């Protein structure tokens, strides 16, 4: 008896392609159905409602979003801050305080499932949340020309999305991604990619500052370079942080980052 043929069947030149197609299909189904559970990694809440500046805002879908608002000094701009993955606004108080001490207002918010924001995170839910933060800023009397959008890591997704729909004074992206699927594969090889920043940035003329660590081991430095090069902004800048990765930027180069942010915002057209 030919056990080999019994086990693997008769050879056919189509079989490798069928096998590869089957593997791709299974991976695509997994990517589409399970992506949000893999992408978003909310930590346990690190703060309470007693945190300085705490407030809640509401999306147009009547969902509550936990946020904080540190007011700007007179004639200074306000930053709408979208944080990275596996962190919440409670872990970033020192950063918010440092920016606020430099005069800037801060409106920071937590994605659904992060911090004290109820719900489940998704691409759409984060976009609804940053839209609510923008609406809150407008209702607070802050004009679009006084708003700077800042997104770090996964936060670059909702930040680019908002800037493609609104006209803020400027946009700052720290360790941005071309898209979610582009991180592990270099290119969005599956359907249903999340946060297509590279596609969206081509139509955004908002002045742009990209800050990226040269040794980023999570979102490669090339993503930041590609975002900068593809931007349609007339004024765009790429700040490379040498000898820094993804999670140690503020630990190792906080002054360099803050100085770049201050210069960029101060050089924006007067409002």
């Amino acid at each position: 008896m030919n056990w080999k043929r019994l086990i693997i069947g008769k050879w056919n030149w189509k079989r490798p392609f069928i096998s590869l197609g089957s593997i791709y299909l299974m991976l695509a189904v997994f990517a589409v159905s399970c992506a949000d559970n893999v992408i978003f990694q909310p930590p346990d809440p690190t703060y309470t409602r007693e945190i300085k500046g705490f407030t809640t805002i509401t999306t147009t879908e009547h969902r509550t979003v936990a946020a904080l608002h540190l007011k700007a000094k007179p004639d200074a701009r306000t930053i709408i801050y979208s944080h990275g993955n596996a962190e919440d606004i409670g872990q970033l108080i020192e950063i918010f305080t440092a920016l606020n001490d430099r005069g800037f207002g801060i409106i920071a918010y937590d994605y659904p499932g992060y911090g004290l924001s109820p719900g489940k995170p998704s691409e759409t839910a984060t976009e609804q949340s940053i839209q609510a933060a923008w609406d809150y800023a407008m209702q607070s009397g802050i004009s679009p020309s006084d708003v700077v959008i800042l997104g770090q890591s996964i936060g670059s997704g909702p930040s680019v999305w908002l800037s493609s729909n609104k006209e803020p004074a400027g946009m700052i992206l720290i360790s941005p991604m071309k898209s979610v699927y582009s991180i592990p594969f270099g290119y969005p090889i599956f359907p249903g990619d999340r946060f297509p920043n590279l596609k969206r940035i081509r139509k955004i003329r908002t002045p742009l500052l990209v800050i990226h660590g040269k040794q980023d081991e999570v979102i490669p430095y090339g993503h930041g370079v590609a975002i900068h090069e593809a931007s349609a902004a007339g004024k765009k800048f790429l700040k490379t942080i040498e000898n820094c990765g993804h999670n140690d930027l503020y630990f190792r180069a906080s002054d360099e980052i803050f100085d770049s942010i201050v210069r960029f915002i101060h050089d924006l057209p007067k409002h």
Side-chain angles (χ1 to χ4, degrees), residues 64-75:
T64 299
V65 177
L68 64 78
H69 182 193
L70 305 178
K71 294 185 178 181
K73 292 181 180 179
D75 297 322

Side-chain angles (χ1 to χ4, degrees), residues 224-245:
V225 174
I227 291 290
H228 172 260
E229 290 180 348
S231 170
K235 289 186 176 181
K236 56 183 180 180
F237 309 92
L238 173 63
K239 176 62 177 178
T240 300
I241 307 296
E242 300 288 347
N243 302 316
C244 280

Side-chain angles (χ1 to χ4, degrees), residues 103-154:
F104 305 122
I106 300 292
I107 297 175
Y109 67 99
D110 266 330
Y111 314 129
Y114 286 70
L116 300 183
S117 289
K120 184 177 180 180
S122 68
E123 178 182 28
T124 299
T126 62
E127 292 169 353
Q128 293 169 350
S129 297
I130 196 172
Q131 177 67 61
W134 174 274
D135 294 342
Y136 169 83
M138 301 302 104
Q139 294 162 8
S140 299
I142 304 170
S143 70
S145 62
D146 282 329
V147 173
V148 174
I149 306 300
L150 191 158
Q152 181 168 4
S153 189
I154 196 75

Side-chain angles (χ1 to χ4, degrees), residues 80-91:
I80 295 181
Y81 199 113
S82 299
H83 62 71
N85 209 349
E87 63 185 8
D88 63 19
I89 57 177
Q91 294 169 274

